[in-house]
């Protein structure tokens, strides 16, 4: 009996030592051809940074960005098109996710005014969806039912009515405290801050943060306490750092994302900070690199280095939940590259491991 117990304990120890916990990685891709399935679900091995395909699903055309309601187990997908289900505008598709099969069941769809939605996020109260539309710069607010299904559009803002193509809204999201809603306008070189009326579902302008002309603000991230805002600028290949500690935001730093001597055109895309707030990363399309900065005590950035993105045109990237790996989605080379992160320097370690994924546009982890 004692011998059997020792044997069982030994088996348990061996099994646990070999076990590599996994978490779900979701990738939305641009759909180039009829029948393309735009959402891929993978198991991500948190020990060695490998992925295994679970399923692929049709979640509508060009699911270039999406967000997730943990409470309702619902995915909200921005379909980046200018005509959706026969109606002029972009698309908002809602799906229930089955974690066992890794498949999606459609719960609803809705056309969004002006078209070309490129970013989607949940409101701080989780009762509304925010969407930013690129071609004719605009944003939309959509109210959700008690079950989390989009019911109706409660607010739309078209920024330049007489010349819509002058504005390009690129991202809309709340600050960490949920007090302010931020919108980057790549065309008008500004970040607009709003207060959000939950009852009416409307955005009310609060103030505007301007960046130097021609930079083109695209995506942003915050320090954990919300005291600093980091904006990556697509056209100028720079990160602008704003201090939010005073009543009036202050632009305190502008840093280049490119290597010294870089030739040719390059366009920034995405930006993310580590969970501990020590490092921040940005992607360069053209130079095809991931730039790493260390975050200083005063909120400013210090260059740590550049790493190849492992492909062509890193539109989007993400960090795994443990911040041990960085995954770069290379749109034009139909691939993602996975790099282990050096925990001391913060740098992604080359070479990355590449996987074939058609035209990746958005990478996110959900447990």
């Amino acid at each position: 009996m004692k011998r059997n117990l020792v044997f069982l304990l030994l088996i348990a120890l061996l099994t646990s030592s070999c076990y590599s916990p996994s978490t779900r990685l979701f990738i939305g891709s641009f759909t180039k051809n009829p029948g393309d399935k735009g959402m891929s679900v993978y198991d991500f091995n948190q020990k060695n940074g490998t992925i295994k395909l679970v399923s692929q699903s049709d979640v509508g055309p060009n699911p270039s960005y999406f967000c997730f309601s943990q409470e309702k187990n619902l995915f909200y997908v921005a379909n980046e098109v200018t005509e959706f289900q026969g109606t002029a505008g972009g698309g908002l598709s809602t799906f229930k996710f089955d974690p066992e099969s890794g498949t999606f069941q459609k719960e609803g769809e809705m056309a969004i005014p002006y078209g070309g939605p490129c970013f989607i996020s949940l409101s701080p109260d989780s009762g509304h969806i925010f969407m930013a539309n690129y071609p004719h710069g605009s944003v939309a607010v959509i109210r959700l039912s008690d079950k989390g299904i989009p019911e109706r559009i409660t607010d739309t803002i078209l920024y330049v009515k007489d010349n819509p193509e002058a504005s390009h809204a690129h991202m809309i999201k709340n600050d960490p405290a949920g007090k302010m809603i931020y919108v980057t306008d790549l065309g008008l070189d500004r970040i607009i801050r709003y207060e959000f009326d939950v009852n009416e579902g409307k955005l009310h302008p609060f103030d505007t943060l301007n960046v130097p002309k021609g930079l083109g603000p695209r995506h942003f991230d915050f320090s954990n306490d919300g005291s600093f805002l980091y904006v990556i600028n697509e056209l100028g290949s720079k990160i602008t750092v704003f201090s939010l500690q005073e009543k009036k935001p202050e632009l305190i730093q502008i840093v280049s994302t490119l290597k010294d001597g870089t030739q040719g055109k390059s366009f920034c895309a995405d930006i993310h900070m580590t969970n501990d707030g020590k490092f921040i990363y940005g992607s360069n399309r053209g130079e095809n690199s991931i730039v790493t900065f260390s975050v200083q005590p005063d909120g400013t950035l210090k260059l740590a280095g550049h790493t190849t993105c492992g492909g062509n045109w890193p539109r989007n990237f993400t960090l795994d939940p443990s911040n041990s790996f960085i995954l770069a989605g290379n749109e034009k080379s139909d691939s993602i590259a996975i790099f282990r992160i050096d925990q001391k320097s913060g740098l992604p370690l080359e070479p990355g491991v590449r996987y074939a994924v058609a035209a990746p546009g958005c990478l996110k982890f959900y447990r």
Side-chain angles (χ1 to χ4, degrees), residues 150-296:
E151 284 187 324
R152 61 187 178 89
I153 297 169
T154 57
D155 199 9
T156 57
I157 302 171
L158 180 64
Y159 287 115
V160 186
K161 294 182 180 179
D162 58 346
N163 184 20
E165 294 183 2
S167 168
H168 297 298
H170 217 303
M171 180 173 175
I172 179 169
K173 192 174 182 179
N174 61 271
D175 63 15
K179 293 182 177 180
M180 291 283 177
I181 311 302
Y182 286 68
V183 176
T184 49
D185 193 323
L186 183 148
L188 300 180
D189 292 313
R190 65 185 186 181
I191 302 103
I192 309 170
R193 298 202 299 177
Y194 293 93
E195 293 178 317
F196 182 56
D197 186 323
V198 175
N199 294 324
E200 294 185 358
K202 293 190 178 296
L203 296 165
H204 298 292
F206 182 79
D207 62 8
T208 301
L209 290 63
N210 294 306
V211 302
K213 188 175 181 180
L215 286 191
R218 180 183 168 100
H219 281 192
F220 55 85
D221 204 352
F222 294 92
S223 58
N224 289 336
D225 62 1
S227 60
F228 295 97
L229 170 68
Y230 301 91
V231 183
I232 198 161
N233 296 269
E234 178 174 335
L235 305 181
S237 295
K238 289 178 171 58
I239 293 176
T240 45
V241 183
F242 289 88
S243 173
L244 306 177
Q245 295 172 308
E246 304 298 332
K247 289 185 178 180
K248 185 177 181 180
E250 179 186 2
L251 177 59
I252 61 173
Q253 188 184 26
I254 302 177
V255 292
S256 174
T257 63
L258 301 176
K259 299 176 185 176
D260 290 340
T262 294
Q263 301 294 320
K265 293 182 178 181
S266 191
F267 304 92
C268 288
D270 205 9
I271 185 169
H272 294 287
M273 178 176 281
T274 54
N275 293 336
D276 59 13
K278 292 182 178 180
F279 299 98
I280 198 163
Y281 302 92
S283 61
N284 293 303
R285 298 173 297 177
E287 183 182 79
N288 288 337
S289 68
I290 302 295
V291 60
T292 304
F293 293 94
S294 60
V295 181
Q296 305 304 293

Side-chain angles (χ1 to χ4, degrees), residues 34-230:
D36 283 355
K37 295 182 177 180
M39 182 70 77
S40 301
V41 182
Y42 293 86
D43 275 336
F44 178 79
N45 186 306
Q46 298 178 79
K47 185 175 181 180
N48 58 26
T50 59
I51 61 174
K52 180 180 180 182
L53 182 65
V54 175
S55 67
Q56 291 183 308
S57 299
D58 180 1
V59 292
N62 290 346
S64 66
Y65 216 85
F66 53 87
C67 63
F68 178 68
S69 169
Q70 188 78 34
E71 179 185 1
K72 307 294 185 183
N73 197 32
L74 290 172
F75 273 79
Y76 303 102
V77 175
N79 301 111
E80 192 170 341
V81 293
T82 54
E83 181 178 316
F84 185 70
Q85 305 298 345
T87 302
L92 167 59
S93 300
T94 304
F95 294 87
K96 179 77 75 173
F97 178 67
D98 182 351
E100 294 297 324
S101 64
T103 57
F104 296 81
Q105 177 182 327
K106 185 181 289 186
E107 297 291 333
E109 57 188 19
M110 177 184 293
I112 303 300
Y114 307 118
C118 59
F119 197 91
I120 184 170
S121 62
L122 269 172
S123 64
D125 70 309
S126 297
H128 297 80
I129 289 289
F130 298 137
M131 299 185 75
N133 304 294
Y134 181 87
H136 296 162
S138 68
V139 295
V141 182
I142 301 94
R143 189 183 300 279
L144 303 177
S145 71
D146 291 340
K147 294 182 178 180
I149 307 302
E151 284 187 324
R152 61 187 178 89
I153 297 169
T154 57
D155 199 9
T156 57
I157 302 171
L158 180 64
Y159 287 115
V160 186
K161 294 182 180 179
D162 58 346
N163 184 20
E165 294 183 2
S167 168
H168 297 298
H170 217 303
M171 180 173 175
I172 179 169
K173 192 174 182 179
N174 61 271
D175 63 15
K179 293 182 177 180
M180 291 283 177
I181 311 302
Y182 286 68
V183 176
T184 49
D185 193 323
L186 183 148
L188 300 180
D189 292 313
R190 65 185 186 181
I191 302 103
I192 309 170
R193 298 202 299 177
Y194 293 93
E195 293 178 317
F196 182 56
D197 186 323
V198 175
N199 294 324
E200 294 185 358
K202 293 190 178 296
L203 296 165
H204 298 292
F206 182 79
D207 62 8
T208 301
L209 290 63
N210 294 306
V211 302
K213 188 175 181 180
L215 286 191
R218 180 183 168 100
H219 281 192
F220 55 85
D221 204 352
F222 294 92
S223 58
N224 289 336
D225 62 1
S227 60
F228 295 97
L229 170 68
Y230 301 91

Side-chain angles (χ1 to χ4, degrees), residues 23-27 40-42 44 51 327 363-365:
T23 188
R24 286 285 165 84
L25 168 67
F26 298 83
I27 302 180
S40 301
V41 182
Y42 293 86
F44 178 79
I51 61 174
L327 296 82
L363 293 77
K364 288 192 176 186
F365 283 97

